[in-house]
């Protein structure tokens, strides 16, 4: 069902955990299955220097979280906003069609974390208790 690259990313996920006092954080849920992903970012001068994730979800969600965090480290926030779930799936050399919806979590959590970062920069408050289901 899963290719070897996905299985490796699931078995040895990178960037698991949480950044203390993150510059941006985003939590999203998957409307299809109810699984949840949280991403925290360290951002310096609009560039992502660290990214960590906590995913309560399936193997595809964990593999895509790991890969997406690896991909955004080093990107500017504008570049990271362009990262799509399709690009993450391509990096993993594909997911089974019924698991594509799982890859949307990482894209949306990164976008939400960047939104939070921008809101903090503008001294706006963001409701962290709210989870968007995508
Ligand atoms: Fe829920 Fe994959 S089945 S994220």
């Amino acid at each position: 069902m899963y290719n070897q690259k996905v299985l490796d990313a699931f078995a040895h996920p990178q960037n698991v955990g949480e950044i203390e006092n993150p510059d941006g954080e985003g939590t999203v849920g998957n409307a299809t299955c109810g699984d949840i992903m949280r991403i925290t970012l360290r951002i310096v001068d609009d560039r992502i220097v660290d990214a960590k994730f906590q995913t309560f979800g399936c193997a595809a969600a964990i593999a895509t979280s790991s890969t997406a965090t690896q991909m955004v480290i080093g990107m500017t926030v504008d570049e990271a906003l362009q990262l799509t779930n399709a690009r993450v799936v391509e990096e993993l050399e594909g997911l089974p069609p019924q698991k594509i919806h799982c890859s949307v979590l990482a894209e949306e959590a990164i976008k939400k974390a960047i939104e939070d970062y921008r809101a903090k920069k503008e001294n706006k408050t963001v409701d962290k208790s709210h989870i968007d289901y995508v």
Side-chain angles (χ1 to χ4, degrees):
M1 177 176 173
Y2 291 121
N3 69 38
Q4 195 56 48
K5 202 159 181 183
V6 175
L7 291 173
D8 287 345
F10 170 62
H12 308 287
Q14 304 297 303
N15 305 315
V16 176
E18 169 180 34
I19 294 171
E20 265 187 58
N21 301 316
D23 298 299
E25 61 185 284
T27 303
V28 295
N30 190 315
T32 308
C33 62
D35 291 343
I36 290 175
M37 178 186 301
R38 177 165 184 261
I39 284 191
T40 49
L41 300 175
R42 176 71 62 229
I43 301 171
V44 176
D45 295 335
D46 276 355
R47 189 171 293 278
I48 297 170
V49 297
D50 199 8
K52 296 218 179 289
F53 77 90
Q54 295 168 303
T55 293
F56 306 95
C58 69
I62 289 166
T64 51
S65 307
S66 172
T67 302
T69 53
Q70 287 177 290
M71 290 171 85
V72 296
I73 292 172
M75 286 185 180
T76 65
V77 290
D78 284 336
E79 288 166 345
L81 284 171
Q82 304 302 313
L83 183 70
T84 63
N85 71 308
R87 180 68 194 89
V88 176
V89 171
E90 186 184 304
E91 187 71 16
L92 281 165
E93 297 171 4
L95 279 175
Q98 70 273 25
K99 302 304 281 183
I100 294 292
H101 74 92
C102 311
S103 66
V104 177
L105 279 177
E107 177 191 329
E108 294 301 325
I110 287 167
K111 286 188 169 137
K112 201 164 176 193
I114 292 172
E115 194 182 304
D116 177 50
Y117 162 71
R118 288 188 163 159
K120 279 178 179 160
K121 263 178 70 170
E122 293 168 19
N123 284 324
K124 289 184 190 156
T125 47
V126 174
D127 179 7
K128 301 221 174 48
S129 64
H130 178 74
I131 297 174
D132 285 327
Y133 281 85
V134 295

